[in-house]
Amino acid sequence: MKKYVILFMLLSQSADAQKNNFSFELQGITYSGLGTNFISEGLGTFTGFGAGITGIIYENVGLGLEFHKGFTQVKDVSVFGDLKKPNLTTFEISALYRYPATEKLQIEGNIGVANMQIKSKSDYRIDGFSEGGTAFLLGVKALYSLTRKNSLYILASPKLYFLSTGTSIDHPEFDKYYSKPTLLNFTLGLRLYL
Amino acid sequence: MKSLLLLSHVLSALFLMSPTSCEQAEYSNNSRIFVEGKVISPNTPEVQIKLISDNILISETKPLDNGTFKLGGPGTTAYKYLSFGQKIKSFNAVQPDCKLSYDSLNIILPEKTYFRFTQIILEP
């Protein structure tokens, strides 16, 4: 009997999730370099904002699109160069799996790709300097319902980005240092089901 | 006729505004340069090492107490040089084609992205 009750609860959860197919998110974000690379040693933590949409395609599987913009300062000129006000723009697409843990709590797993660009201003040229490339991303999102109808959720999410920029240096160690940084992102936000 | 006159004025103005007359270095996006090495000088802690291209300061640093330094920054379209704020007596580079400038104040670097200097001896 207990088994059936649990099964019923899970089914009704996924039915609820299907009712609310599309969602919109507003986020506060941070990014920092992880390990030894030019972002972790040359730059401070990026902080900024983001927005996203998700849609369920089949049962608990769906797609998500996100846009992030973060700002920081140069921490070490000898690593990053004499550049000013670096900002990071991320545009990503990911597949998601939504698991309703309890009536109020949902856990989502994300796997996807992102385009990341770091643009910096310069005292010497108007156009400044930019670098970036494609990243592979892995993330988890915890969502907690704020309303009785489960239409508004608060969310928290860590994500890892394995970035590959187009930069190349004629030395394997420093090539990896400048072209293959790993970034750790934290997101805090609100999700509204439409 | 009047419009032709106007056109000639506009064209000459455009010619004057055209940037072809002064070619300057620009940043080349998605490009980086890295230099490391060892400075030998009687006043090592005060040496300021700069990597410059045209009038762009790419990166700057001070050597550690033992004289070693690491310097990275954005790539540019023009040639780059290392400056120490004082005359250079001699240097040894792993990469060929690094040259001392005629006034011995800079080391001019060829078009590469990584350089290592086993030693750079500055004049006292």
Side-chain angles (χ1 to χ4, degrees):
Chain A
M1 187 61 201
K2 214 174 177 182
K3 240 189 228 171
Y4 286 112
V5 170
I6 291 168
L7 192 68
F8 176 73
M9 273 172 69
L10 280 175
L11 280 175
S12 62
Q13 286 289 326
S14 64
D16 260 357
Q18 271 170 359
K19 241 190 292 169
N20 307 323
N21 235 342
F22 289 96
S23 76
F24 175 74
E25 281 173 24
L26 281 177
Q27 310 161 334
I29 57 116
T30 70
Y31 277 89
S32 44
L34 197 65
T36 309
N37 58 59
F38 78 109
I39 293 177
S40 65
E41 295 187 339
L43 296 178
T45 301
F46 288 96
T47 55
F49 57 87
I53 52 171
T54 65
I56 291 294
I57 296 168
Y58 179 73
E59 295 200 342
N60 291 344
V61 178
L63 277 180
L65 292 175
E66 279 186 31
F67 169 84
H68 297 160
K69 189 98 187 165
F71 306 88
T72 190
Q73 297 294 328
V74 177
K75 191 168 71 182
D76 188 341
V77 171
S78 75
V79 170
F80 195 73
D82 190 24
L83 296 164
K84 303 277 142 65
K85 295 182 179 171
N87 70 75
L88 171 72
T89 309
T90 304
F91 184 77
E92 68 188 47
I93 181 162
S94 63
L96 64 90
Y97 179 79
R98 190 172 293 162
Y99 173 72
T102 69
E103 203 179 319
K104 288 279 177 194
L105 182 70
Q106 293 186 334
I107 308 287
E108 261 179 29
N110 295 80
I111 179 165
V113 287
N115 182 283
M116 304 177 94
Q117 294 292 332
I118 299 169
K119 283 193 178 143
S120 306
K121 294 192 190 316
S122 160
D123 288 343
Y124 315 102
R125 294 293 182 270
I126 297 161
D127 288 342
F129 175 72
S130 83
E131 62 199 319
T134 308
F136 169 70
L137 72 93
L138 283 174
V140 185
K141 247 180 209 175
L143 299 124
Y144 191 78
S145 172
L146 297 174
T147 56
R148 203 188 284 174
K149 284 185 174 175
N150 290 351
S151 57
L152 185 68
Y153 286 76
I154 187 166
L155 67 90
S157 158
K159 253 186 223 163
L160 279 174
Y161 293 79
F162 303 94
L163 177 61
S164 249
T165 72
T167 313
S168 86
I169 290 181
D170 320 322
H171 187 285
E173 185 192 337
F174 298 109
D175 185 69
K176 189 165 176 278
Y177 186 81
Y178 279 101
S179 68
K180 299 262 184 300
T182 303
L183 291 99
L184 176 64
N185 154 256
F186 281 107
T187 297
L188 213 65
L190 286 174
R191 173 183 285 184
L192 180 70
Y193 280 93
L194 306 172
Chain B
M1 191 61 201
K2 208 173 177 183
S3 64
L4 207 65
L5 199 71
L6 190 71
L7 190 68
S8 73
H9 277 98
V10 169
L11 281 177
S12 55
L14 278 176
F15 176 74
L16 286 175
M17 286 190 295
S18 67
T20 47
S21 50
C22 52
E23 245 178 76
Q24 59 172 7
E26 295 292 338
Y27 288 108
S28 55
N29 292 334
N30 271 322
S31 143
R32 287 267 173 189
I33 176 167
F34 194 87
V35 182
E36 61 178 336
K38 186 173 185 169
V39 174
I40 297 164
S41 163
N43 56 343
T44 303
E46 284 117 68
V47 176
Q48 187 75 23
I49 308 168
K50 293 182 178 183
L51 182 59
I52 300 169
S53 179
D54 201 356
N55 62 346
I56 298 175
L57 175 61
I58 293 174
S59 190
E60 63 179 331
T61 192
K62 277 176 181 286
L64 299 176
D65 288 340
N66 64 5
T68 57
F69 69 91
K70 288 180 177 185
L71 200 54
T76 61
T77 54
Y79 76 90
K80 297 147 194 79
Y81 60 90
L82 268 180
S83 139
F84 300 86
Q86 59 198 86
K87 287 206 172 188
I88 300 150
K89 202 171 166 188
S90 68
F91 70 90
N92 280 323
V94 173
Q95 285 71 26
D97 301 331
C98 296
K99 281 180 203 138
L100 204 58
S101 68
Y102 71 95
D103 56 8
S104 299
L105 282 171
N106 308 311
I107 298 172
I108 300 166
L109 308 174
E111 262 192 62
K112 286 208 173 77
T113 51
Y114 172 77
F115 299 92
R116 192 161 76 84
F117 293 90
T118 45
Q119 61 171 17
I120 299 165
I121 302 169
L122 302 180
E123 277 185 17

